[in-house]
Every structure is written in structure tokens, then in C-alpha cells.
Amino acid sequence: MTENSNFKPCDLVIYGALGDLSKRKLLISLYRLEKHHLIEADTRIIGVDRLDETDSSFVDIAHKSLQAFLNNDIDVQIWQRFAQRLSYLKIDLTQPEQYKQLNSAIDPEKRVMVNYFAVSPLLFKSICHGLHSSGALNAESRMVMEKPIGHDLKSSVEINDVVAQVFHENQVYRIDHYLGKETVLNLLALRFANSLFYTCWNHNTIDHIQITVGEDIGIEGRWDYFDKTGQLRDMLQNHLLQILTFVTMEPPADLSAQSIHMEKIKLLKALRPITYLNVEEKTVRGQYTAGYIQGKPVPGYLEEEGANTESTTESFVAIRVDIDNWRWAGVPIYMRTGKRMPNKRTEIVVNFKNLPHNIFKDSFHELPANKLVIHLQPNEGVDVMMLNKIPGIDGNIKLQQTKLDLSFSETFKKNRIFGGYEKLILEALRGNPTLFLSREEIEQAWTWVDSIQDAWQHNHTPPKPYPAGNWGPVASVALLARDGRAWEE
Ligand SMILES: NC(=O)C1=CN([C@@H]2O[C@H](COP(=O)(O)OP(=O)(O)OC[C@H]3O[C@@H](n4cnc5c(N)ncnc54)[C@H](OP(=O)(O)O)[C@@H]3O)[C@@H](O)[C@H]2O)C=CC1
Ligand SMILES: O=C1O[C@H](COP(=O)(O)O)[C@@H](O)[C@H](O)[C@H]1O
């Protein structure tokens, strides 16, 4: 144990331990934390799910997941240390009496109980009831709740109300793993530690902003969950709105969770509502058809495992967002997110305004505007596109567009970039809630997203098809073209 010797060990209970999130992200992140000696020696990990597994078969399942998602890059010693922490309990989460088993698995005298809800939000209420009736909780216990919390504002309020009956607000950790990503956190540094951006981060200087969160994967066998949810609720309600708030909120008074939550809520309240009257012009819904990703054929959404061929769920959304406040008046923010895009790419492009007059007509009829490109993943870093003089001795000044390139992997060679889940799981184990979300901001985000969902339903807006391996339907290009703009490709 090196860095965190002042933290208490935990009983980390993962509900839904055999599910996709647990296997793909949580166990992998925990293994990586183990590798870097960041987990207390006495911390235990208890997997809970409804299948008839045993401690040892759960250990095998965890090993297979690591093999699959870490490309077999498993160190024997680290694995042995990690495997010793693992145990399994079969609990049907809808059956309150089965939660009593937890009492013999945890040790509240020695360890803090951290309950990780890695299941559908439909089960959150049952888990709260079950935990309450089991008597396993105490004032130190924590709970980590996955996004999306609920399906809409109403269900989110219901869940938060039930959670509040069992956990005090300071025991509740609402996770959005994008807030654990280094590059998302770096937005705070970029904006609030650099005087360069202080005076120009507003409608006087910025023309528009683009936020792209593209994934090349499809729904990865998660039909039941995804088809009921869709890309708007799965990605935009949480990850994209979180990125948006970090890019556009007012400077917080300090770095405390409270100050940041306050600014995010103010920003979310300023988002102009999208209703059935303007939803067709402001949004694009898409659904992928069969196509190719990096040369390999992939099935369409309606041919995915378990698919219902009638589904009109969207796997792609593009939206023009307007923020009704002094800073952002007249500056559109275009956001798009989708499955089966050509590659995985999360980036923010801040497009600055053109200069009022061009004295370099020999080089450019119209001077290309400056751009700040923030690469959130992969190839984390920041680029500034600017104009420079091409060196030379002839009399004319000739310009060229050049890139000022700050690559994280180059610049911070000695620092490992931790994944979002690694960072946030560690914070939950340490009992630091700073990077988690407040109830109010989630409910505010639902209010805005519900209005879009209702408008689509009201207008019977069908998703537009796009072949896998493309950046969404053609209508997404038209969304910007109507404003005389284009997506950054
Ligand atoms: N997967 C991901 O990449 C991400 C997921 N999330 C969120 O995490 C949560 C879980 O997602 P995901 O892992 O994909 O979902 P999965 O359906 O893959 O996993 C849920 C697990 O819970 C089990 N389960 C369901 N009902 C019960 C029950 N009554 N008692 C005990 N176990 C039960 C399921 O078993 P069974 O298979 O038998 O139904 C399954 O093993 C969701 O809220 C999702 O939004 C958030 C970010 C990323
Ligand atoms: O929350 C979710 O996020 C993942 C994408 O996460 P990333 O860290 O790989 O960008 C997404 O695939 C999943 O559908 C969604 O539930």
C-alpha cells in the first residue's frame, strides 16, 4: 500500500456483477487499481447477481473478463492478489429477504460498505428496500448509482426519493464516468487557469462549438437495455450534457463539489427548450443499418442479437443547442453522438469568429478562423489551429494554417492517464464525493431531455437510417449546413 494508507478498507458490493458494465469496466478498473497498489490491502469485492455462481466460478468469470478486455495482459502476481479479494453471492435483487445474506459477507467493524448499483435503474428501488430491510447499512455506508438515473424526470425523482429514505445525501455517489476522464477534468484547468481564454470565452469571440462523442461499437448484446433507452437517454442526457456544462458554465467560486454543481445547474437551466414546434429543425434521430467498420461488415441495429425488427429507437442523435444567457447569446452548440460511427472519437471543437478584415488576400481569400480542438479520447490532447507566415525571403507574406499540438502522452510522459472508472471507483472507495453528480443537476438535465423525447413522440419522428461506418444520417450534415457550417471531420 503506497498512496492511500489513510483510507479505510471497504466491502465493495457490486450488484449486477455478471453484467456488461461490471465485466467490461468495473472489474478491469479494479484490477488496474490493484496493479498500481491503490486498493487497501483489506478491501473485499463481493459480486452479487442472480445466477448460480460460486466464489471460485466468479473468480473464473472475472479472469475471463480481464483476458477479453485487457488482451491477456494479466500479471500473475497482481491477479493472485486481486482474486483473493473476490467472492460471490446469489441474490435475486427483487426479493428483499435474500439480502440478509449480505450480513455474513461484510464486516462493518472493519470495513465501509460501498454498494455499487451496476444494474438497470428499474432495480434501484428494490435494492434500496432490500438493503434497508437487511440491516447491513450503517451511517458510514455508501452507494454508487449508475447513469441513467431513471428513464425520465418522473422516474428519476421517484428513485432519488427512495434512495433518500435509505441513504443520507452525503452517502450517495451518482456516477458519470466521463467526469473521471482526465481530459474532461482538464476542461476546468484549460478554462479557469489560463488567462488566454478568460476574455475570449463568449459570444464576442466564439462563433460556435461542436461536441462529438462517436463510438464504433454497436450495442454489444445489450438490446434489452439499449432498446428501451436509446442514445438520447443513454449518452446525451448524461455524458454530453456534462461535457457541455464544463465547456460553457460560469467560473465556479472554487473547486468544491457544491460550487461546481451550482454553476452546472445554472447552465442547464439556461438551455433553450426544444419542443414539438422546433424539434425537427433542431434535432436529428438516426438508426444504423448494416455497413462496414474499418473494413469489417457489421449488422444493422434491427439485426442485432435479440432485436425487435419494428424498433424505432435511435442509435444516433445530433442537436443544435442554444444557451439563453449573456455569455452564449447567438452561439450555437452542436452536439452529436452515435453508435457504429467510423471510429471512436470524443472531441470538442471551439470555432472562433472570423476577423473583421483580411489583409492577407494573397494567401487566403477568406482567412480560416482559429479553432481550439480538445481531444477527450483517444489521443488525449489539445490543438490550436492558427495561421503563421511561411518562412521565405520573397517580398509577400504568405500564410499557412498550422497546428499547435499539445499531446498528453507526449507532454506528460511520466504520468499515467487513469480511466474514468478507475478514478471514480477510487474516489468512491476513498469517500470523496467531489466528482459525483448532485440530484438537482440530474433532474434539470432530465427536464430538458424529456422535452425532446416528448416532442419526438408527439411528432412521431422516425429515426433516419445511416449505414454503419458513417457519421450519422445525411440530415445531420444538413443541421449545420442550414446555418452555413459543417462538422469538423
Ligand atoms: N455497459 C456499459 O458500458 C455501461 C452501463 N451503464 C449502466 O450500468 C447499468 C448496468 O448496465 P449493464 O451492465 O450494461 O447491464 P446488464 O444487463 O449487462 O447487467 C445487469 C446485471 O444485473 C443482473 N440482474 C438483472 N436483474 C437481476 C435481479 N433481479 N437480481 C439479480 N441480478 C439481476 C443481470 O442478470 P441477467 O443477465 O440475468 O438479466 C445482469 O447480470 C445500467 O444502469 C447502465 O445504464 C453505465 C455506463 C456504461
Ligand atoms: O455510459 C455509457 O458509455 C459507454 C461509452 O463510454 P466510453 O468511456 O467508452 O466513451 C457507452 O458505450 C454505453 O452505451 C453507455 O451506457
Side-chain angles (χ1 to χ4, degrees), residues 15-22 24-25 48-51 91-94 117-121 123-124 146-148 177 222 225 234 239 421:
Y15 303 89
L18 304 178
D20 182 76
L21 175 73
S22 166
R24 186 191 296 275
K25 308 259 188 183
V48 171
D49 210 296
R50 59 177 160 190
L51 288 187
I91 298 181
D92 180 341
L93 298 170
T94 61
F117 291 21
V119 289
S120 153
L123 284 168
F124 289 1
E146 262 300 338
K147 48 85 11 196
H177 74 276
R222 297 164 70 210
Y225 161 74
D234 185 46
H239 305 323
Y421 273 107

Side-chain angles (χ1 to χ4, degrees), residues 25 147 177-178 181 215 217 222 225 234-235 239 339 344 377:
K25 308 259 188 183
K147 48 85 11 196
H177 74 276
Y178 271 54
K181 291 185 191 280
E215 294 180 86
I217 57 169
R222 297 164 70 210
Y225 161 74
D234 185 46
M235 294 292 288
H239 305 323
K339 308 273 187 234
K344 185 163 179 68
Q377 60 182 19

Side-chain angles (χ1 to χ4, degrees), residues 171-228:
Q171 297 174 286
V172 180
Y173 292 60
R174 297 178 188 84
I175 195 167
D176 181 318
H177 74 276
Y178 271 54
L179 292 196
K181 291 185 191 280
E182 283 294 350
T183 41
V184 175
L185 294 174
N186 187 49
L187 291 170
L188 294 176
L190 198 73
R191 285 195 57 200
F192 305 126
N194 292 294
S195 57
L196 183 66
F197 298 121
Y198 164 59
T199 47
C200 68
W201 209 258
N202 57 40
H203 65 100
N204 290 324
T205 327
I206 294 176
D207 177 72
H208 74 284
I209 299 175
Q210 300 182 11
I211 300 175
T212 295
V213 181
E215 294 180 86
D216 51 3
I217 57 169
I219 54 167
E220 306 298 291
R222 297 164 70 210
W223 177 271
D224 279 347
Y225 161 74
F226 190 86
D227 196 58
K228 286 189 211 103

Side-chain angles (χ1 to χ4, degrees), residues 92-200:
D92 180 341
L93 298 170
T94 61
Q95 305 301 314
E97 72 288 350
Q98 296 190 13
Y99 286 75
K100 291 208 174 65
Q101 298 176 69
L102 284 168
N103 291 306
S104 47
I106 62 167
D107 184 349
E109 296 290 309
K110 272 200 196 156
R111 297 188 282 266
V112 179
M113 187 185 197
V114 179
N115 299 280
Y116 199 119
F117 291 21
V119 289
S120 153
L122 296 172
L123 284 168
F124 289 1
K125 287 194 225 168
S126 304
I127 305 179
C128 286
H129 288 311
L131 277 173
H132 186 57
S133 60
S134 73
L137 299 175
N138 63 24
E140 272 195 322
S141 310
R142 296 170 207 144
M143 67 93 77
V144 183
M145 226 187 326
E146 262 300 338
K147 48 85 11 196
I149 298 182
H151 197 64
D152 51 17
L153 177 63
K154 185 168 172 282
S155 53
S156 179
V157 169
E158 277 169 21
I159 290 170
N160 278 316
D161 284 348
V162 173
V163 168
Q165 288 165 17
V166 179
F167 294 95
H168 190 272
E169 182 63 18
N170 66 15
Q171 297 174 286
V172 180
Y173 292 60
R174 297 178 188 84
I175 195 167
D176 181 318
H177 74 276
Y178 271 54
L179 292 196
K181 291 185 191 280
E182 283 294 350
T183 41
V184 175
L185 294 174
N186 187 49
L187 291 170
L188 294 176
L190 198 73
R191 285 195 57 200
F192 305 126
N194 292 294
S195 57
L196 183 66
F197 298 121
Y198 164 59
T199 47
C200 68

Side-chain angles (χ1 to χ4, degrees), residues 454-470:
D454 293 349
W456 282 343
Q457 213 168 339
H458 176 278
N459 293 4
H460 304 287
T461 311
K464 295 187 167 59
Y466 63 95
N470 284 273

